[in-house]
Amino acid sequence: MSEQGVSVPSEALPAGRALRRPRAGAKTEVAVQLLSPLALLAVWEITARAGYIDQRFYPAPSSIVQAFWDAVTTGVLLHHLKITLGRLALGTLIGGVPAVLLGLAMGLSRWLRLALDPIIAATYPLPKSALFPLLLLIFGLGEGSKVAMVAIGVFYLAVTNSMEGVLAINPVYLDVAKTFGARRLDVVRTVALPGALPLVLAGLRLGVGTGLILGVLAEMLGARDGLGYLLWSAWQTFSVSSLYAVLFVTAVLGFVSVKVVDILRRWLVPWQSGSRN
Amino acid sequence: MAGTGGTTSTGATGTQFALRVDAVSKRFRQGQRELLALDNVSFDIEVGRFLVIVGPSGCGKTTLLRILAGLERQDEGQIWIRPNADGHPAAAMVFQEQSVFPWMTVRDNVAYGLALRGVGRRERFREAERWIRSVGLEGFERAYPHQLSGGMKQRVSIARAFAVDPDVLLMDEPFSALDEQTRTILQQEVSSLSEQQHKTVIFVTHSIDEAITLGDEVLVMTHRPGRVKRLISIPFARPRDVVGVRANPRYGELYEEIWQLIAEEVQQGPREE
């Protein structure tokens, strides 16, 4: 190890340091990010056509695009997408609104927390997917069971995060409110609610993701429409290209629904410095 | 007792007291043991005076301030704060740590106390903007705290306290987290503002230098349990140049005197009951 920090030639530096080179231009970075998936698709297309990989399981990207396009032009995809979207939206509303209210109330009231926290903690580890047969029994084969699945997925994450949101508020803010003469309702309005908001929205963001997983699963098991149903029937009819096409659409739906919560957050929580992206 | 000597009295106010602390004690329960934090603390302070409380860490000076702010209750003794005309809390507090609400703009933060009193939007914003100017944050009215430096946030906190026009300002080591330059600048501003506004200030610090540069009186506390060890008058006139004061030969003597008092306490350590 050399002691002359300033004059040390780069060869003498520890390996970790030496690896750090000046950053490539931003354009080059974007190009690499765009080109690598494209290159993967190209390799896939070529190997599938040349017969190196099994087209029955890994159909060439071009045939997936074709299947996608067919599903779009016949209106099938849009029909089922709308149905899943509707269930996701309704389930998020039904699960999310009570969850946020209850979570905030639990954060504010020690007694409510003592009463309800054990119930939530005890039922939380249960895989929500395991509840579907019970929900079918209760709500029947109609919309109810699917919406309930989404709602349950949203509920748990929203309720726990909303409660934590209140509990995580730095007590000094409560002291400030008190020294300025705030009454209980003032404290809730000016400190507890705004202070909890970042975690409330983080809970909703996670909840929507889980809600979509459970909703699609429910559609696979017990529905006659929706993206989950479409995936399942594509498997049953062995239309593998459609299977890939619907998977792609489901992924986009997941991405977009989380983005919607992100936009909501940026609008409701303008004070947070670390707004992602 | 503080201020009763009258040698550096503000004159016009005579010996009107802003606040009296009479035989206040406070215990904390720590598992099975009871810990005496404050033991029979008494002092009073005249209107418009700047009292600095210093002492070794753990001497209960922050507890005392929290009792004065109404955030804790004493177990024994009485607190008397001169009632103000309009029935609002007479004291406002500036906290040690970052206490500016991150979810409010600078203007909403400064107007907070007025909003709680039901002062209308236009009026409280006008008042807030006046105080934002006084602490040198013009142009940041609509900024959120995460866009401000530590010193700027503490200016917001000071403006928020002044905006409710309290008779007594309670300050709990408000500058301890700041770098030295920022601290000196803010010391000067608080010294000048409290002088201009005729505020009574109780300022807690562990810095002897801060105590001498800011205080009209310095109250030295003992190690736990906190008692009044000595009350020292600072003979420098106000308004005061907080940097210039350090060049005064009396500054060194006072520093030495207060240091001796605190060193005794630190060496002795906490007294167990």
Side-chain angles (χ1 to χ4, degrees):
Chain A
M1 286 272 264
S2 169
E3 296 297 313
Q4 267 66 46
V6 181
S7 58
V8 170
S10 66
E11 292 82 27
L13 287 173
R17 284 288 178 84
L19 281 174
R20 231 181 265 166
R21 300 243 164 78
R23 279 163 64 94
K27 276 183 185 169
T28 320
E29 287 184 8
V30 172
V32 169
Q33 285 176 319
L34 282 177
L35 280 177
S36 89
L38 285 177
L40 179 69
L41 284 175
V43 170
W44 185 356
E45 182 78 35
I46 291 162
T47 49
R49 288 197 183 197
Y52 288 119
I53 57 174
D54 194 334
Q55 284 240 34
R56 287 175 305 171
F57 302 142
Y58 314 104
S62 56
S63 72
I64 295 171
V65 171
Q66 185 61 48
F68 175 77
W69 189 244
D70 290 344
V72 169
T73 48
T74 54
V76 172
L77 200 56
L78 201 64
H79 171 72
H80 292 279
L81 175 63
K82 268 191 202 158
I83 284 168
T84 301
L85 193 60
R87 285 168 183 158
L88 183 63
L90 193 61
T92 301
L93 211 63
I94 291 174
V97 171
V100 169
L101 294 178
L102 189 65
L104 292 173
M106 284 171 71
L108 290 166
S109 156
R110 208 174 91 83
W111 287 109
L112 204 59
R113 199 156 63 240
L114 285 171
L116 297 182
D117 208 22
I119 302 174
I120 290 176
T123 50
Y124 182 72
L126 183 79
K128 308 304 171 291
S129 47
L131 281 174
F132 190 54
L134 185 64
L135 294 179
L136 274 180
L137 196 68
I138 297 170
F139 294 102
L141 279 166
E143 281 306 284
S145 55
K146 267 69 78 184
V147 173
M149 268 306 255
V150 175
I152 286 171
V154 175
F155 179 85
Y156 275 92
L157 289 160
V159 77
T160 46
N161 275 282
S162 301
M163 181 181 80
E164 288 303 328
V166 176
L167 295 178
I169 294 171
N170 188 336
V172 75
Y173 297 133
L174 303 175
D175 286 347
V176 171
K178 238 184 265 175
T179 57
F180 282 108
R183 284 152 304 183
R184 177 137 179 94
L185 203 64
D186 295 322
V187 175
V188 171
R189 189 172 49 84
T190 61
V191 179
L193 293 186
L197 212 48
L199 269 181
V200 167
L201 286 161
L204 277 179
R205 190 177 192 270
L206 294 169
V208 167
T210 310
L212 180 64
I213 293 172
L214 292 175
V216 169
L217 184 76
E219 286 174 347
M220 281 192 216
L221 295 175
R224 304 208 169 276
D225 45 20
L227 292 175
Y229 161 80
L230 214 53
L231 282 170
W232 198 255
S233 66
W235 173 70
Q236 286 188 316
T237 58
F238 210 71
S239 35
V240 182
S241 300
S242 315
L243 187 55
Y244 277 93
V246 181
L247 272 180
F248 173 72
V249 173
T250 310
V252 171
L253 176 59
F255 179 77
V256 169
S257 51
V258 167
K259 272 284 160 237
V260 169
V261 182
D262 279 346
I263 290 165
L264 196 66
R265 178 168 62 184
R266 219 160 299 165
W267 178 59
L268 284 173
V269 192
W271 64 83
Q272 278 213 313
S273 47
S275 308
R276 274 163 239 180
N277 302 333
Chain B
M1 295 278 120
T4 46
T7 47
T8 54
S9 164
T10 42
T13 50
T15 47
Q16 261 192 318
F17 291 116
L19 185 144
R20 309 188 82 147
V21 174
D22 185 22
V24 163
S25 297
K26 172 78 184 172
R27 288 180 199 84
F28 285 111
R29 198 171 287 284
Q30 223 179 34
Q32 298 285 4
R33 290 175 45 203
E34 257 201 355
L35 207 74
L36 191 60
L38 293 171
D39 182 20
N40 197 20
V41 172
S42 298
F43 62 89
D44 42 41
I45 173 168
E46 245 177 81
V47 168
R49 303 288 279 174
F50 202 121
L51 175 74
V52 182
I53 302 176
V54 286
S57 33
C59 72
K61 47 195 195 294
T62 291
T63 303
L64 180 59
L65 212 58
R66 288 178 63 83
I67 290 173
L68 295 177
L71 294 171
E72 313 252 3
R73 261 199 85 73
Q74 70 274 24
D75 295 307
E76 282 151 47
Q78 303 266 310
I79 303 282
W80 178 85
I81 301 181
R82 196 167 72 111
N84 54 0
D86 48 12
H88 294 129
M93 182 141 167
V94 178
F95 292 82
Q96 174 180 12
E97 53 185 311
Q98 205 285 102
S99 71
V100 173
F101 298 129
W103 49 85
M104 290 184 191
T105 59
V106 167
R107 191 172 63 180
D108 283 327
N109 261 295
V110 175
Y112 181 69
L114 296 173
L116 287 180
R117 289 179 188 181
V119 175
R121 198 179 159 80
R122 181 179 293 189
E123 198 189 332
R124 70 172 188 259
F125 280 174
R126 199 182 51 222
E127 193 62 14
E129 277 157 16
R130 188 165 76 85
W131 281 106
I132 290 167
R133 277 196 300 280
S134 310
V135 298
L137 284 179
E138 231 168 328
F140 288 94
E141 289 85 355
R142 285 158 206 273
Y144 282 101
H146 75 84
Q147 297 164 292
L148 308 180
S149 69
M152 290 162 88
K153 283 182 207 165
Q154 213 51 323
R155 284 168 196 259
V156 176
S157 194
I158 291 164
R160 182 171 65 183
F162 271 103
V164 295
D165 194 23
D167 292 339
V168 180
L169 270 166
L170 306 170
M171 307 186 97
D172 184 15
E173 302 195 32
F175 309 141
S176 61
L178 304 178
D179 63 82
E180 189 167 350
Q181 289 89 331
T182 312
R183 190 185 313 143
T184 307
I185 291 165
L186 284 183
Q187 281 169 350
Q188 183 64 64
E189 288 183 7
V190 161
S191 181
S192 309
L193 274 177
S194 61
E195 166 75 17
Q196 284 162 22
Q197 303 288 325
H198 310 293
K199 299 295 180 201
T200 308
V201 184
I202 301 183
F203 189 108
V204 161
T205 181
H206 59 256
S207 157
I208 298 170
D209 168 71
E210 195 163 67
I212 302 169
T213 46
L214 292 178
D216 294 319
E217 258 109 1
V218 174
L219 190 153
V220 182
M221 285 182 73
T222 64
H223 210 298
R224 199 170 55 225
R227 299 185 184 115
V228 176
K229 186 175 176 78
R230 186 81 58 85
L231 193 74
I232 294 164
S233 263
I234 305 296
F236 306 135
R238 291 172 69 205
R240 199 181 278 179
D241 170 1
V242 299
V243 178
V245 131
R246 291 173 179 137
N248 192 307
R250 281 288 286 139
Y251 173 90
E253 292 165 27
L254 286 163
Y255 194 102
E256 177 71 17
E257 185 183 351
I258 296 170
W259 169 246
Q260 286 304 333
L261 291 169
I262 292 177
E264 271 172 40
E265 291 302 316
V266 173
Q267 279 154 19
Q268 191 165 351
R271 298 173 187 83
E272 296 302 329
E273 293 161 72

